């Protein structure tokens, strides 16, 4: 089960899914509610518990009793919640540059309201998307292979349904900052693999944080090692020269 991040959908797992399938695995890569081809509801209570329950219901509906749960970015927070809620149905947990390795509000990042985030989502442009990814995901080093993931997000902006999707994205942002999994890493009861690209500097709300705090956030080499120490049965793989998207 491949769980996507906030700024993506299941589509960016294509190459990963093909490799896993060739290795003999059955692969599922769903779009969560509010993302990709899934519904964009006008009203929905976004929570990691709800999305984990949806994901588990999908597996049950397909008659799958147990699965490897791999989550990237926001999907890492979802995968963590899934493993905490459904340990008996989780063969192992794989976290690929997950967010949520620190509690941004507790660190002192100012809270952004849902309305504020909605306005920010409505103001997105292809260039703003590219600049965010360049700085946070790729540490200022761009490759043409990254272009499709800007184009994917930019395509949504052109849709007449984008205001509803932007509202879903604002609600999702609120879920991310107000529902930390950080404090429960010690409760994870399944084998866990941490894959951490060392160039990653992703930090939710960095643009609102005071400069001295912003500089300290998103230190993935440090965060990955701390998370590895916190999870009882974990293995850490550090990848030098790679940013937020190791599978890309």
């Amino acid at each position: 089960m491949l769980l996507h991040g906030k700024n993506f959908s299941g589509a960016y797992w294509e190459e990963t899914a093909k490799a896993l399938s060739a290795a003999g695995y059955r692969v599922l890569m769903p779009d969560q509610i509010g993302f990709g081809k899934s519904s964009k509801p006008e009203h929905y209570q976004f929570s990691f518990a709800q999305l984990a329950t949806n994901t588990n219901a999908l597996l049950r509906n397909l008659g799958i009793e147990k699965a490897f749960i791999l989550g990237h970015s926001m999907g890492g927070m979802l995968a963590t919640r899934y493993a905490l809620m459904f340990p008996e149905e989780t063969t192992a947990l794989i976290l690929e540059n997950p967010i949520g390795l620190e509690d941004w509000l507790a660190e002192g990042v100012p809270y952004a309201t849902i309305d504020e985030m909605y306005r920010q989502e409505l103001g997105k442009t292809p260039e703003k998307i590219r600049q965010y990814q360049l700085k946070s995901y790729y540490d200022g080093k761009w490759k043409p292979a990254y272009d499709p993931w800007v184009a994917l997000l930019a395509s949504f902006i052109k849709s007449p349904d984008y205001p509803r999707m932007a509202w879903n994205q604002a609600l999702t942002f609120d879920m991310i900052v107000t529902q930390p999994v950080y404090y429960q890493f010690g409760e994870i009861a399944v084998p866990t693999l941490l894959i951490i690209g060392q160039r990653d500097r992703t930090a939710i709300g960095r643009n609102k944080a005071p400069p001295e705090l912003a500089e300290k956030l998103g230190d993935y080499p440090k965060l990955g090692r701390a998370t590895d120490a916190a999870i009882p049965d974990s293995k850490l793989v550090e990848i030098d020269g790679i940013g937020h998207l190791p599978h890309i």
Side-chain angles (χ1 to χ4, degrees):
M1 175 68 77
L2 309 181
L3 303 177
H4 64 76
K6 179 182 181 296
N7 291 325
F8 301 93
S9 64
Y12 76 155
W13 289 118
E14 181 180 3
E15 187 175 350
T16 306
K18 287 179 178 177
L20 288 169
S21 182
Y25 293 94
R26 182 180 182 182
V27 184
L28 301 175
M29 43 188 226
D31 294 338
Q32 296 295 326
I33 296 292
F35 295 85
K37 295 182 179 180
S38 287
S39 59
K40 317 297 187 304
E42 291 185 16
H43 306 284
Y44 198 72
Q45 180 62 50
F46 278 91
S47 72
F48 286 117
Q50 179 66 68
L51 298 185
T53 301
N54 295 348
T55 302
N56 183 256
L58 172 62
L59 287 171
R60 286 176 176 267
N61 188 60
L62 294 171
I64 299 170
E65 296 180 359
K66 206 166 186 178
F68 290 91
I69 307 298
L70 192 165
H72 166 254
S73 194
M74 179 197 77
M77 294 184 76
L78 173 55
T80 299
R81 179 58 57 203
Y82 186 98
L84 289 165
M85 293 176 66
F86 306 105
E88 298 301 320
E89 296 166 69
T90 304
T91 303
L93 174 65
I94 303 104
L95 301 176
E96 179 201 355
N97 281 77
I99 59 172
L101 302 185
E102 54 193 336
D103 182 343
W104 304 286
L105 294 182
E107 291 287 343
V109 175
Y111 174 71
T113 67
I114 294 173
D115 286 339
E116 184 178 350
M117 291 311 303
Y118 180 52
R119 290 192 294 270
Q120 181 173 307
E121 292 288 346
L122 288 176
K124 280 187 174 178
T125 66
E127 183 56 27
K128 285 181 180 178
I129 293 169
R130 186 181 187 278
Q131 287 302 316
Y132 174 81
Q133 293 189 5
L134 175 65
K135 182 176 181 179
S136 293
Y137 294 177
Y138 308 118
D139 196 27
K141 301 174 180 65
W142 194 263
K143 295 181 181 180
Y146 306 153
D147 289 335
W149 314 115
V150 173
L152 178 67
L153 293 177
S155 69
F156 291 123
I157 298 172
K158 301 173 184 177
S159 168
D161 295 327
Y162 183 67
R164 192 168 74 243
M165 184 176 183
W167 179 246
N168 287 175
Q169 290 293 303
L171 294 174
T172 305
F173 177 89
D174 191 76
M175 172 184 73
I176 289 170
V177 299
T178 62
Q179 299 176 29
V181 294
Y182 170 77
Y183 302 103
Q184 291 185 269
F185 287 140
E187 300 172 28
I188 295 174
V190 299
T192 301
L193 174 65
L194 282 167
I195 301 171
I196 304 294
Q198 300 292 286
R199 211 170 71 184
D200 194 0
R201 292 299 179 270
T202 303
I204 303 301
R206 175 187 274 118
N207 61 320
K208 293 176 65 66
E212 63 275 11
L213 173 59
E215 187 178 335
K216 298 176 182 178
L217 297 172
D219 185 344
Y220 266 77
K222 179 181 177 181
L223 293 172
R225 291 162 198 155
T227 304
D228 178 46
I231 297 174
D233 183 11
S234 68
K235 177 181 179 181
L236 173 63
V237 175
E238 299 178 326
I239 308 177
D240 290 331
I242 296 295
H244 191 59
L245 288 145
H247 69 277
I248 301 297

